[in-house]
């Protein structure tokens, strides 16, 4: 017997359950069924058009797709398995898509769907202290990221009228940079040099020095070895810097599409904090890998290669990235975004294609010399080839008062030192210049993970420029410098407050500081020979 027929027979037949229900329930059922009937009569199904294309070919990091006539440039498209890609080449017959993940499961003929949006990244305070990938996925095993909103990774740079002059310094804690190549908040300062010359170390020391400076940091590792990135993150955690740092990571074995979008995603994260009125430092480590990833994608998509096989728009992808670093006006909350891009040179060739591009885009460069690195002069900053085109205006007046001629004195020393190597007989004046330069070089050496405060740097610079270290034996200069750093705490607080203001140091301030410096250096001064006293 049909179960439905039996049910109807039981409910509707004479003596069935419905016949025994009260009249009020009969009326309620009739009303309900009448409402359902009216709703069904008025309901019109909504048809949502959906563009679906198919994969025609798949290569390493890219896919060719046909059948998406309405897709836009840089629109996000969805592949099977939850894989996303960015529409890069939009041609009449097919589009070239940059894949943002592993593509082994994709096959020709698979369906591809439009999303109608561009690539975006989660932003917000919940990202501080986390390690993420450019898609917003977590890499630190601490669960999903809490975020306030999502921002497109590609955003227009702030208009000129929204920008303010760079007037506040960004202290790196490195004496050679803060004194000779200063950086301002909102500046773009390039760090370049051959591999293994300490480029990343300068950036990490700068991040460590932002503790208690009210500066958030974003470290973007592009194409680095997993062991190198793990070491950097471990150092940041050990030094207590992860509490104000966001780390965006793309490893060397990740698809080139992720390496391409990584710096843009990191910049959007930093811009969110800048637009909220915060000062932010972002480090791109490094843009050499970024340029190579873009070259790989471009050549696979059959874009014409230009100089050194890089496509002609390689300048544009870096300029639109670094132009987003700025200092906003006070009525726009006055936030700032300082960029420290890192680039790798080959055989000290700073006039190569990519280094030349980035030097012209940025506001100065810090060049690291392999020769200085091999001699143990760390950080190996070549003062002659390093320059800051903006930061000098943001440098504190106290720095300019005690380090005004330091760069010139060091340049004279390096020139004379090369002549002295030939065994040339030197007069007393030349010998004094060389002795003074040797003390400058010794003081500019600084161990890793030991940033110096503003007070410590100014005290050391004052002793150096006034010639008080010239009488200290060269082998004791390092100990004398440590004594000067400790003595910085003995300087009156009123004077130390002027170190971080725009006020110049008065003669009384200098006299009080020189008294402290003299007391600190007294144990390192050579003792007079008693024989000379007996026989003058």
């Amino acid at each position: 017997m049909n179960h439905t027929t039996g049910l109807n027979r039981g409910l509707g037949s004479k003596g069935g359950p419905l016949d025994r229900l009260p009249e009020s329930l009969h009326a309620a059922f009739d009303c309900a069924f009448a409402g359902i009937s009216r709703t069904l009569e008025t309901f019109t199904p909504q048809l949502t058009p959906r563009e679906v294309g198919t994969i025609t070919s798949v290569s390493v990091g890219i896919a060719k797709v046909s059948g998406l006539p309405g897709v836009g440039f840089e629109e996000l498209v969805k592949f099977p398995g939850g894989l996303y890609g960015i529409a890069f080449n939009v041609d009449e017959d097919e589009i070239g898509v940059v894949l943002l993940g592993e593509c082994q499961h994709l096959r020709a003929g698979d369906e591809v769907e439009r999303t109608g949006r561009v690539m975006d990244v989660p932003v917000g305070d919940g990202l501080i202290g986390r390690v993420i990938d450019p898609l917003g996925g977590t890499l630190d095993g601490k669960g999903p990221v809490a975020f306030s909103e999502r921002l497109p990774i590609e955003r227009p740079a702030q208009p000129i009228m929204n920008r303010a002059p760079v007037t506040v310094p960004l202290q790196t804690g490195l004496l050679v940079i803060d004194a000779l190549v200063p950086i301002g908040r909102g500046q773009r300062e390039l760090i370049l040099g051959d591999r293994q010359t300490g480029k990343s170390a300068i950036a990490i020391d700068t991040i460590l020095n932002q503790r208690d400076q009210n500066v958030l940091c974003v470290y973007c590792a592009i194409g680095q070895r997993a062991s190198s990135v793990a070491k950097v993150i471990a150092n940041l955690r050990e030094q207590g810097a992860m509490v104000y740092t966001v780390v965006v990571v793309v490893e060397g074995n990740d698809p080139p599409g992720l390496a391409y979008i990584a710096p843009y995603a990191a910049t959007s994260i930093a811009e969110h904090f800048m637009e909220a009125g915060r000062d932010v430092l972002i480090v791109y480590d490094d843009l050499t890998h970024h340029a190579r990833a873009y070259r790989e994608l471009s050549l696979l998509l059959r874009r014409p290669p230009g100089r050194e096989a890089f496509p002609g728009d390689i300048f544009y992808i870096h300029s639109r990235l670094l132009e987003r670093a700025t200092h906003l006006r006070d009525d726009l909350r006055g936030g700032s975004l300082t960029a420290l891009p890192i680039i790798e040179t080959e055989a000290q060739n700073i006039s190569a294609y990519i280094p030349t591009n980035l030097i012209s885009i940025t506001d100065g460069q810090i060049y690291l010399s392999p020769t200085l690195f091999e001699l143990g002069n760390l950080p190996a900053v070549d003062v002659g080839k390093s320059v800051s085109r903006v930061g000098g205006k943001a440098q504190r007046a106290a720095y300019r008062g005690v380090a005004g001629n330091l760069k010139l004195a060091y340049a004279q020393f390096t020139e004379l030192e090369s002549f002295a190597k030939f065994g040339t007989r030197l007069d007393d004046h030349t010998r004094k210049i060389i002795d003074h330069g040797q003390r400058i070089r010794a003081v500019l050496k600084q161990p890793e993970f030991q940033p110096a405060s503003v007070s410590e740097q100014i005290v050391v610079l004052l002793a150096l420029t006034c010639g008080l270290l010239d009488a200290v034996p060269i082998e004791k200069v390092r100990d004398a410098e440590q004594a000067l750093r400790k003595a910085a705490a003995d300087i009156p607080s009123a004077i130390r407050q002027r170190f971080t203001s725009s006020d110049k140091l008065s003669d009384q301030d200098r006299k009080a500081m020189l008294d402290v410096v003299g007391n600190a250096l007294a144990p390192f001064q050579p003792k007079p020979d008693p024989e000379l006293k007996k026989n003058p």
Side-chain angles (χ1 to χ4, degrees), residues 382-435:
D382 188 328
V383 177
K385 295 181 180 177
S386 301
V387 65
S388 177
R389 304 187 186 99
V390 177
K393 298 179 181 178
Q395 193 177 34
R396 300 297 188 192
Y399 273 97
R400 292 194 293 270
V402 298
N405 61 349
L406 189 64
K407 197 167 187 177
L408 176 61
Y410 191 64
Q412 290 176 336
F413 156 68
T414 54
E415 288 293 328
L416 291 173
E417 187 184 36
S418 61
F419 285 105
K421 290 178 182 177
F422 295 107
T424 310
R425 295 184 62 181
L426 305 174
D427 56 28
D428 291 340
H429 178 66
T430 304
R431 174 56 60 190
K432 286 182 180 179
I433 293 177
I434 291 179
D435 288 344

XYZ file of all heavy atoms in Angstrom, residues 382-435:
417
model
N 79.120 52.359 3.979
C 80.058 53.191 3.239
C 79.541 54.626 3.287
O 78.584 54.988 2.597
C 80.181 52.698 1.793
C 81.284 53.401 1.021
O 81.535 54.589 1.304
O 81.886 52.775 0.123
N 80.163 55.445 4.126
C 79.667 56.798 4.349
C 79.751 57.643 3.082
O 78.906 58.506 2.834
C 80.464 57.461 5.496
C 80.017 58.899 5.701
C 80.295 56.666 6.784
N 80.738 57.382 2.232
C 80.892 58.170 1.019
C 79.796 57.946 0.001
O 79.422 58.867 -0.727
N 79.240 56.727 -0.065
C 78.205 56.414 -1.048
C 76.796 56.443 -0.458
O 75.832 56.169 -1.161
C 78.466 55.038 -1.668
C 79.753 54.974 -2.487
C 79.946 53.596 -3.082
C 81.234 53.530 -3.897
N 81.476 52.168 -4.439
N 76.686 56.729 0.819
C 75.377 56.764 1.479
C 74.921 58.205 1.626
O 75.728 59.107 1.874
C 75.459 56.101 2.862
O 75.880 54.756 2.752
N 73.637 58.424 1.465
C 73.095 59.785 1.522
C 71.639 59.721 1.965
O 70.950 58.721 1.733
C 73.209 60.479 0.142
C 72.331 59.778 -0.892
C 72.845 61.939 0.225
N 71.193 60.774 2.638
C 69.787 60.932 2.991
C 69.335 62.292 2.498
O 69.842 63.323 2.954
C 69.592 60.817 4.513
O 68.243 61.030 4.850
N 68.399 62.299 1.546
C 67.997 63.559 0.917
C 66.916 64.299 1.703
O 66.581 65.428 1.372
C 67.498 63.286 -0.509
C 68.507 62.556 -1.380
C 68.034 62.455 -2.821
N 68.940 61.627 -3.598
C 68.733 60.351 -3.879
N 67.626 59.758 -3.432
N 69.595 59.662 -4.587
N 66.346 63.645 2.720
C 65.256 64.259 3.479
C 65.575 64.308 4.961
O 65.318 65.295 5.643
C 63.934 63.485 3.251
C 62.818 64.079 4.089
C 63.556 63.498 1.786
N 66.157 63.226 5.485
C 66.290 63.073 6.932
C 67.112 64.138 7.611
O 66.948 64.382 8.808
N 68.024 64.815 6.874
C 68.804 65.874 7.497
C 67.940 66.989 8.050
O 68.282 67.609 9.058
N 66.789 67.251 7.407
C 65.876 68.279 7.899
C 65.140 67.818 9.153
O 64.628 68.653 9.910
C 64.873 68.649 6.807
C 65.524 69.247 5.567
C 64.489 69.568 4.504
C 65.171 70.151 3.261
N 64.202 70.435 2.183
N 65.055 66.499 9.337
C 64.379 65.971 10.517
C 65.342 65.688 11.663
O 64.908 65.384 12.768
C 63.633 64.684 10.150
N 66.646 65.792 11.405
C 67.634 65.485 12.446
C 67.554 66.513 13.565
O 67.394 67.711 13.332
C 69.034 65.460 11.841
C 70.089 64.854 12.750
C 71.448 64.799 12.066
O 71.776 65.678 11.276
N 72.217 63.763 12.353
N 67.680 66.035 14.799
C 67.616 66.920 15.944
C 68.755 67.942 15.902
O 69.855 67.659 15.436
C 67.713 66.114 17.244
C 66.617 65.089 17.431
C 65.245 65.724 17.514
N 64.219 64.755 17.887
C 62.914 64.989 17.816
N 62.486 66.154 17.370
N 62.041 64.070 18.171
N 68.480 69.138 16.442
C 69.493 70.195 16.464
C 70.701 69.782 17.281
O 71.831 70.176 16.976
C 68.877 71.476 17.036
N 70.492 68.974 18.329
C 71.620 68.531 19.159
C 72.584 67.679 18.349
O 73.809 67.775 18.521
C 71.098 67.749 20.368
N 72.052 66.840 17.437
C 72.920 66.038 16.580
C 73.752 66.933 15.670
O 74.961 66.734 15.523
C 72.088 65.076 15.724
C 71.786 63.754 16.385
C 70.582 63.541 17.026
C 72.702 62.710 16.348
C 70.294 62.333 17.620
C 72.417 61.492 16.938
C 71.211 61.306 17.573
O 70.941 60.105 18.173
N 73.097 67.907 15.050
C 73.823 68.786 14.138
C 74.889 69.585 14.874
O 75.929 69.931 14.305
C 72.842 69.720 13.433
C 71.907 69.010 12.470
C 71.205 69.991 11.552
N 70.278 70.844 12.280
C 68.999 70.556 12.497
N 68.511 69.408 12.037
N 68.216 71.382 13.150
N 74.653 69.867 16.164
C 75.620 70.641 16.925
C 76.873 69.861 17.286
O 77.944 70.445 17.445
N 76.745 68.543 17.413
C 77.909 67.749 17.849
C 78.483 66.884 16.740
O 79.538 66.280 16.926
C 77.537 66.847 19.057
C 77.112 67.693 20.240
C 76.435 65.857 18.679
N 77.808 66.786 15.590
C 78.300 65.921 14.504
C 78.345 66.654 13.182
O 78.274 66.031 12.126
C 77.406 64.679 14.385
N 78.512 67.975 13.237
C 78.447 68.755 12.016
C 79.505 68.403 10.995
O 79.225 68.260 9.808
N 80.785 68.269 11.430
C 81.880 68.027 10.484
C 82.399 66.597 10.538
O 83.493 66.317 10.055
C 83.034 68.995 10.767
C 83.601 68.803 12.171
O 82.999 68.100 12.989
N 84.738 69.410 12.454
N 81.624 65.711 11.119
C 82.099 64.332 11.297
C 82.267 63.626 9.949
O 83.249 62.910 9.724
C 81.113 63.565 12.183
C 81.563 62.177 12.644
C 82.797 62.275 13.528
C 80.436 61.473 13.394
N 81.315 63.831 9.048
C 81.385 63.155 7.750
C 82.585 63.632 6.951
O 83.271 62.825 6.293
C 80.079 63.401 6.979
C 79.849 62.459 5.816
C 78.424 62.563 5.311
C 78.135 61.503 4.252
N 76.737 61.541 3.793
N 82.882 64.931 6.997
C 84.037 65.472 6.281
C 85.339 64.928 6.872
O 86.255 64.545 6.128
C 84.011 66.994 6.343
C 85.204 67.721 5.717
C 85.284 67.392 4.226
C 85.093 69.220 5.934
N 85.423 64.890 8.213
C 86.640 64.383 8.852
C 86.855 62.913 8.507
O 88.000 62.485 8.270
C 86.535 64.562 10.368
N 85.776 62.149 8.447
C 85.921 60.730 8.128
C 86.330 60.539 6.665
O 87.128 59.659 6.336
C 84.604 60.009 8.422
C 84.707 58.507 8.384
C 85.504 57.819 9.284
C 84.015 57.754 7.440
C 85.606 56.444 9.265
C 84.105 56.375 7.402
C 84.898 55.731 8.324
O 85.007 54.367 8.290
N 85.778 61.382 5.780
C 86.151 61.293 4.361
C 87.627 61.643 4.168
O 88.339 60.993 3.393
C 85.262 62.214 3.534
N 88.134 62.680 4.868
C 89.550 63.028 4.789
C 90.423 61.883 5.278
O 91.470 61.574 4.692
C 89.819 64.290 5.611
C 89.229 65.559 5.020
C 89.440 66.752 5.927
O 89.611 66.597 7.134
N 89.419 67.944 5.353
N 89.990 61.229 6.346
C 90.762 60.115 6.899
C 90.873 58.962 5.910
O 91.964 58.402 5.709
C 90.110 59.648 8.201
C 90.412 58.227 8.570
C 91.697 57.845 8.948
C 89.419 57.255 8.532
C 91.977 56.534 9.283
C 89.699 55.952 8.860
C 90.977 55.589 9.237
N 89.755 58.600 5.271
C 89.791 57.468 4.337
C 90.707 57.760 3.154
O 91.389 56.858 2.649
C 88.377 57.130 3.844
O 87.777 58.310 3.297
C 87.515 56.611 4.990
N 90.750 59.035 2.698
C 91.632 59.388 1.593
C 93.098 59.311 2.016
O 93.944 58.750 1.309
C 91.303 60.799 1.092
C 90.001 60.898 0.328
C 90.047 60.156 -0.996
O 91.124 60.100 -1.603
O 89.005 59.610 -1.404
N 93.415 59.879 3.180
C 94.804 59.892 3.636
C 95.288 58.507 4.021
O 96.473 58.183 3.877
C 94.946 60.850 4.822
C 94.786 62.335 4.503
C 94.784 63.159 5.778
C 95.893 62.805 3.572
N 94.377 57.666 4.525
C 94.782 56.329 4.946
C 95.291 55.517 3.763
O 96.242 54.732 3.885
C 93.615 55.617 5.622
C 94.002 54.276 6.237
C 92.809 53.557 6.819
O 91.713 53.645 6.233
O 92.967 52.896 7.863
N 94.661 55.703 2.590
C 95.103 54.951 1.421
C 96.512 55.365 1.003
O 97.308 54.526 0.572
C 94.125 55.171 0.265
O 94.066 56.543 -0.088
N 96.881 56.646 1.167
C 98.240 57.077 0.852
C 99.230 56.570 1.891
O 100.371 56.218 1.564
C 98.303 58.609 0.775
C 97.693 59.166 -0.470
C 96.460 59.779 -0.437
C 98.358 59.073 -1.692
C 95.889 60.290 -1.584
C 97.789 59.579 -2.849
C 96.553 60.189 -2.801
N 98.821 56.521 3.157
C 99.728 56.087 4.216
C 100.129 54.627 4.052
O 101.178 54.204 4.551
C 99.075 56.304 5.581
N 99.319 53.852 3.341
C 99.647 52.432 3.160
C 100.886 52.239 2.295
O 101.505 51.179 2.328
C 98.453 51.703 2.529
C 97.256 51.566 3.463
C 96.098 50.876 2.767
C 94.887 50.777 3.681
N 93.730 50.161 2.998
N 101.247 53.251 1.524
C 102.419 53.136 0.657
C 103.715 53.471 1.384
O 104.778 53.555 0.775
C 102.272 54.065 -0.564
C 101.140 53.693 -1.467
C 99.984 54.451 -1.502
C 101.215 52.569 -2.274
C 98.925 54.106 -2.331
C 100.164 52.225 -3.116
C 99.025 52.987 -3.143
N 103.641 53.682 2.702
C 104.837 53.981 3.480
C 105.290 55.417 3.368
O 106.455 55.728 3.644
N 104.380 56.295 2.979
C 104.737 57.701 2.832
C 105.006 58.319 4.206
O 104.314 58.034 5.179
C 103.583 58.455 2.147
O 103.205 57.751 0.973
C 103.988 59.871 1.792
N 106.039 59.158 4.282
C 106.316 59.863 5.526
C 105.259 60.938 5.722
O 104.983 61.749 4.833
C 107.710 60.478 5.488
C 108.823 59.438 5.412
C 110.188 60.088 5.479
N 110.370 60.785 6.747
C 111.477 61.462 7.069
N 112.468 61.563 6.179
N 111.578 62.053 8.236
N 104.676 60.966 6.921
C 103.554 61.854 7.185
C 103.975 62.951 8.146
O 104.722 62.703 9.116
C 102.377 61.068 7.786
C 101.884 59.863 6.975
C 100.827 59.105 7.755
C 101.336 60.319 5.635
N 103.473 64.174 7.910
C 103.734 65.259 8.860
C 102.781 65.132 10.050
O 101.870 64.300 10.064
C 103.585 66.614 8.168
C 102.221 66.789 7.520
O 101.249 66.179 8.019
O 102.116 67.515 6.516
N 103.001 65.981 11.043
C 102.218 65.870 12.281
C 100.735 66.129 12.033
O 99.872 65.448 12.618
C 102.759 66.864 13.311
C 104.139 66.485 13.811
O 104.503 65.292 13.655
O 104.842 67.357 14.345
N 100.414 67.097 11.181
C 99.001 67.399 10.924
C 98.293 66.209 10.269
O 97.171 65.847 10.663
C 98.905 68.632 10.022
C 97.498 69.002 9.658
N 96.576 69.448 10.572
C 96.844 68.957 8.448
C 95.420 69.683 9.972
N 95.568 69.389 8.684
N 98.953 65.596 9.288
C 98.348 64.431 8.635
C 98.207 63.270 9.605
O 97.205 62.550 9.596
C 99.199 64.007 7.425
O 99.347 65.126 6.547
C 98.566 62.850 6.686
N 99.228 63.100 10.458
C 99.152 62.025 11.444
C 97.990 62.235 12.402
O 97.294 61.287 12.779
C 100.470 61.962 12.209
C 100.504 60.982 13.379
C 100.161 59.568 12.977
N 101.092 59.056 11.976
C 100.901 57.926 11.315
N 99.792 57.221 11.519
N 101.783 57.518 10.435
N 97.713 63.494 12.783
C 96.581 63.766 13.667
C 95.253 63.436 12.981
O 94.334 62.896 13.609
C 96.600 65.239 14.084
C 97.674 65.569 15.105
C 97.593 67.037 15.498
C 98.663 67.386 16.524
N 98.625 68.826 16.908
N 95.152 63.775 11.682
C 93.915 63.462 10.955
C 93.685 61.951 10.914
O 92.559 61.463 11.127
C 93.975 64.044 9.530
C 93.959 65.574 9.573
C 92.800 63.536 8.696
C 94.096 66.231 8.215
N 94.759 61.196 10.686
C 94.613 59.741 10.613
C 94.275 59.164 11.986
O 93.398 58.289 12.111
C 95.901 59.113 10.043
C 96.042 59.485 8.564
C 95.879 57.591 10.203
C 97.288 58.941 7.905
N 94.923 59.652 13.028
C 94.616 59.155 14.374
C 93.167 59.465 14.747
O 92.467 58.620 15.329
C 95.564 59.790 15.392
C 96.983 59.245 15.285
O 97.157 58.180 14.653
O 97.912 59.888 15.809
